[in-house]
Structures are given as C-alpha cells and as structure tokens.
Amino acid sequence: DQQVKQNSPSLSVQEGRISILNCDYTNSMFDYFLWYKKYPAEGPTFLISISSIKDKNEDGRFTVFLNKSAKHLSLHIVPSQPGDSAVYFCAASEIQGAQKLVFGQGTRLTINP
Amino acid sequence: NAGVTQTPKFQVLKTGQSMTLQCAQDMNHEYMSWYRQDPGMGLRLIHYSVGAGITDQGEVPNGYNVSRSTTEDFPLRLLSAAPSQTSVYFCASSSSGWGNQPQHFGDGTRLSIL
C-alpha cells in the first residue's frame, strides 16, 4: 500500500512560468515532508522540507504548501528555469524517522525554453 | 569532503552469485540507510542503521544483509542474487534521526542480475 503518492509521472512547463508538483499521503503519523530533486545518474539531493505544524515553507524560488486535513502537499517553483528539469520526489518521515523516509514515485519535470 | 561514496557504480551479476555494495560517508553521521529505486516505484527502504552495531529492517529487506561495524561504513550484501534484485541502489546518511534532518545520498550503484 503506497503511503506517499505522486499521481503525475510527468509535467511540462514553459520557462519562467510556475511549476506545481503534487503529493498525497495516507499515514497520519508523518511529521515531516521533504522534497528531493534527482538528475540522471546522480543521487537525490534535498530541496526543501516542511513540518506538519506548518502550512507553508519558502526558500528562494521554492515553496512547499501542506494541507494536513487533505493529506496533500505541493511544491511550487517560481519562476521555472531549464536547470529545474529533473525528477522530483516527495518523501515523508515520522518525528524520529529521518533514516526511514517513505518516498513517492516521483514526477519528471521538464522546463521548455 | 566526499559526502556519501558508493562503489561500484555499475555491476552485472549472474543469478545465485553474491556480492557486497559498499557505502562510506565522511560526515560522521550516525544514521545510515539503503534504498532501492525501481521504475515507477520511487525509492524503497531496505535496511537502516542508527549507529555502529545497530541495524534494522526496512520495507523490502528480503535477500539482503547489512552490518555496521564502524560509523563510516554501511555495506549491503546480496546473499544469492535474483533477477528481481535488478535495481539502482542508493545509500544515504543523516546527522540525526529527527525527521527534519535531510538524508544525504550517494550517486547509486546500478545492479543487473542476469
């Protein structure tokens, strides 16, 4: 049973516009949610995270929104740049579970010039 | 500062062979994990460790063994390789177990079992 789901396998966005990546989860015990970015032949790199006690966290062009009642989070990238083209993974952990991340399937984001 | 180093980067095995995937980190992190990535399934946790001498199973542990004799190293052993273990394997580490501490990943080992 998939506890973290990313229902869009791919997303194509024009350069300069907003990219919105979505993620749903089912486990109410998750306390932290993280987004990772992955280029081909490299490991995932941490992008941004949010605690379950917050509904928004912003870091430069990246903002993560959390809707606990809907068990839904989203990553907004504004403005999108060609270097943002990558696979994005949503991940979740319990309060002391940094070593036990639960990942979504990933969304391949393509930024078109 | 190398971070998390995985070796080898690529490996082809025959069914039934055994091998060890190496993982080393130079950040003095206590917490380390192994994941496998399969198409359409994201990353799934195989085994993890919260310190030297302490390991535990993740979501998909069958067919794999781990040990943690030092803080730096966390090898993953395939006991008798099967085609279903064809995957990309990632090792990761974090400084603490708190969920807000992001894991740092190696660049992976691509393993093919014939």
Side-chain angles (χ1 to χ4, degrees):
Chain A
D1 186 28
Q2 192 92 21
Q3 297 184 72
V4 178
K5 291 183 182 180
Q6 294 176 256
N7 291 317
S8 297
S10 64
L11 176 67
S12 186
V13 173
Q14 199 163 1
E15 182 179 358
R17 306 293 293 267
I18 183 171
S19 295
I20 301 176
L21 294 92
N22 294 304
C23 178
D24 297 295
Y25 64 96
T26 58
N27 189 342
S28 300
M29 298 298 292
F30 289 144
D31 276 294
Y32 293 98
F33 303 90
L34 305 91
W35 285 93
Y36 282 83
K37 178 178 178 179
K38 186 183 181 304
Y39 292 119
E42 294 184 9
T45 55
F46 171 72
L47 199 55
I48 191 169
S49 65
I50 188 167
S51 162
S52 62
I53 64 172
K54 295 187 175 182
D55 55 19
K56 178 183 174 181
N57 188 27
E58 194 172 351
D59 184 1
R61 297 186 298 115
F62 303 92
T63 304
V64 56
F65 296 92
L66 175 62
N67 182 334
K68 259 187 99 172
S69 60
K71 293 189 173 68
H72 176 84
L73 63 154
S74 61
L75 174 68
H76 292 212
I77 306 173
V78 182
S80 300
Q81 298 174 354
D84 296 330
S85 295
V87 176
Y88 289 79
F89 289 99
C90 170
S93 75
E94 297 183 17
I95 190 166
Q96 286 196 334
Q99 70 280 13
K100 298 187 289 182
L101 290 176
V102 180
F103 282 84
Q105 306 97 310
T107 296
R108 181 178 302 278
L109 175 65
T110 302
I111 306 302
N112 302 307
Chain B
N1 193 347
V4 178
T5 302
Q6 292 185 238
T7 55
K9 293 192 183 306
F10 303 95
Q11 184 71 48
V12 178
L13 290 178
K14 293 182 180 178
T15 298
Q17 287 185 315
S18 63
M19 82 159 292
T20 299
L21 279 64
Q22 301 293 344
C23 175
Q25 53 90 10
D26 60 2
M27 297 173 283
N28 202 33
H29 285 173
E30 290 291 331
Y31 295 79
M32 296 186 74
S33 308
W34 276 102
Y35 297 87
R36 60 178 286 176
Q37 184 191 6
D38 300 298
M41 299 191 72
L43 283 76
R44 292 182 293 167
L45 182 66
I46 305 172
H47 285 285
Y48 64 93
S49 170
V50 298
I54 307 170
T55 64
D56 206 345
Q57 296 181 353
E59 180 187 356
V60 289
N62 291 341
Y64 307 96
N65 269 0
V66 292
S67 60
R68 185 97 179 270
S69 56
T70 67
T71 300
E72 294 78 20
D73 300 301
F74 190 40
L76 178 73
R77 295 183 191 84
L78 278 71
L79 309 173
S80 177
S84 61
Q85 293 178 305
T86 293
S87 188
V88 182
Y89 292 84
F90 290 101
C91 179
S93 72
S94 60
S95 57
S96 85
W98 287 103
N100 63 345
Q101 292 299 311
Q103 286 194 303
H104 301 264
F105 285 81
D107 285 336
T109 293
R110 186 176 295 273
L111 184 61
S112 293
I113 316 295
L114 304 177

